[in-house]
Each structure stands twice: as C-alpha cells, then as structure tokens.
Amino acid sequence: CCIAQVDAAFKNFTSIYGTTINNDLVLDGKYYIEEDIFFNGDNIIDITNCDLVFADCIGMYFGEETSLRANNSVFRPCEVGGSWRGLYFSGDGNDHIVNECTFKNAEKALYFNKGADGVVSENLFSNCNVGVHVAKDKSFNHPISGNRFVIDDFYPRYPNCYEDTDTGLSYGVLCSNTLMLSEIS
C-alpha cells in the first residue's frame, strides 16, 4: 500500500476534484493522485508548494487552452522504486511555466507535444527516463535552462506508459521533429 494513499496528510485529488477539470484551480499542500487528470478549457492551473504523489502510469494532461504555473513543487511516484507517467501538454494553446520543481522517476516528466510551449527553468529531474521531451513543434520559443538531470543507483524499471518510450536510454532533453527557437542550457 502506498503511504500517501492512506496518510491523512494527503488529500485524494480525484475524490475532491474528479478526473476532468474545466475551471481555474489553485493547489497547495499534499495530494495523492490515483487516476489520470485532464485539464480542459481556457484556464490557469497553479501548483505552488505542493507534494503530488502519483500511482503507477498516472499523469496529468493539459489541453490546448489550459496554462500550468508550477512553482516549488514535487512530482513523484507512490513507491520509492516506482514510476509515474508525467505531465503531458498538447496543442498550440497557452504557454506554461515550470520553475524550481522536482520530478522523480517520471517516464516523461514534461512532454510538450504538437505545438505546446513553456518555460522550464531551475528544476531537478531525478531518475526520469526523459526529463523534457519536445515533439512535433514548429517553433518551441521558450528557454529550457538551469535544470539538473540526475541518474543514480535507484533508477526504476519503466513500464512503458507511452508507446514511444525507450527504457534502454535516458535523456535530459529530447527533441523530435522540433525547431528550438530559444536556449537550452
């Protein structure tokens, strides 16, 4: 049993908010997430000073018009040696900001796909199969800078939550079919 699943300090995200969110949302505190979360509509999701614990192969999906503002938060799997899917952004919608967060054991911690864009700065990616993946973007125009990518002895076995995951390799920043218009440093 996952400690976050039974610890009263952790709120069960899906019990409180459900799996589809269609309005602005401000999160703080500790959350256990056992089902995929879908953010839709022209909304801002503010995740500041949070500890978010995910069940295996579970993640958050941000639709075209939704903007994420994540600051000083931890995104991690339920089990120390486990893994989770990551945050998935799709479409030419609003820009995202992910600043000073920690991502542990994510299959693809931040997956920007089909034109999604965002500032990714000063984050720690610990034992992630892919820290930042940018795919199918004609003009990714924000910097990916000041981040740390760490691999250690506790690297998990990834269950291939995404079909295109290569568990034999790990990447800090992976770009495919993308034109990067700003810095990666």
Side-chain angles (χ1 to χ4, degrees):
C1 179
C2 173
I3 190 79
Q5 193 174 12
V6 295
D7 188 335
F10 286 84
K11 302 169 205 157
N12 186 313
F13 188 94
T14 50
S15 294
I16 298 170
Y17 300 108
T19 57
T20 301
I21 310 298
N22 295 311
N23 54 308
D24 292 343
L25 184 63
V26 176
L27 298 178
D28 64 355
K30 296 175 174 280
Y31 293 91
Y32 171 64
I33 301 168
E34 62 187 348
E35 296 179 55
D36 288 325
I37 306 298
F38 299 88
F39 296 101
N40 297 315
D42 187 11
N43 304 305
I44 295 174
I45 308 303
D46 184 315
I47 300 175
T48 301
N49 299 324
C50 285
D51 182 8
L52 289 98
V53 176
F54 295 83
D56 287 341
C57 265
I58 297 301
M60 291 182 162
Y61 298 83
F62 297 86
E64 275 192 26
E65 300 302 317
T66 304
S67 295
L68 172 65
R69 303 292 181 258
N71 297 286
N72 195 36
S73 294
V74 176
F75 299 82
R76 62 190 175 101
C78 201
E79 302 297 329
V80 172
S83 64
W84 61 292
R85 185 181 299 268
L87 307 183
Y88 180 88
F89 308 91
S90 182
D92 290 323
N94 296 334
D95 296 325
H96 307 281
I97 299 172
V98 182
N99 188 39
E100 295 187 355
C101 293
T102 299
F103 296 89
K104 296 180 180 179
N105 298 22
E107 190 162 314
K108 292 186 181 192
L110 301 175
Y111 190 179
F112 296 96
N113 197 11
K114 299 178 183 171
D117 241 329
V119 175
V120 180
S121 63
E122 305 298 327
N123 299 290
L124 169 63
F125 297 89
S126 176
N127 288 331
C128 294
N129 186 246
V130 178
V132 181
H133 187 175
V134 182
K136 300 175 187 167
D137 193 337
K138 296 176 189 167
S139 59
F140 192 90
N141 63 3
H142 292 297
I144 298 173
S145 63
N147 299 291
R148 291 185 330 145
F149 302 91
V150 178
I151 302 293
D152 61 31
D153 290 341
F154 300 106
Y155 192 78
R157 293 181 145 262
Y158 287 98
N160 291 66
C161 301
Y162 290 107
E163 290 178 8
D164 63 345
T165 297
D166 182 351
T167 58
L169 297 171
S170 59
Y171 301 89
V173 178
L174 174 62
C175 299
S176 55
N177 299 316
T178 296
L179 174 61
M180 300 300 290
L181 298 177
S182 201
E183 302 81 17
I184 298 176
S185 64

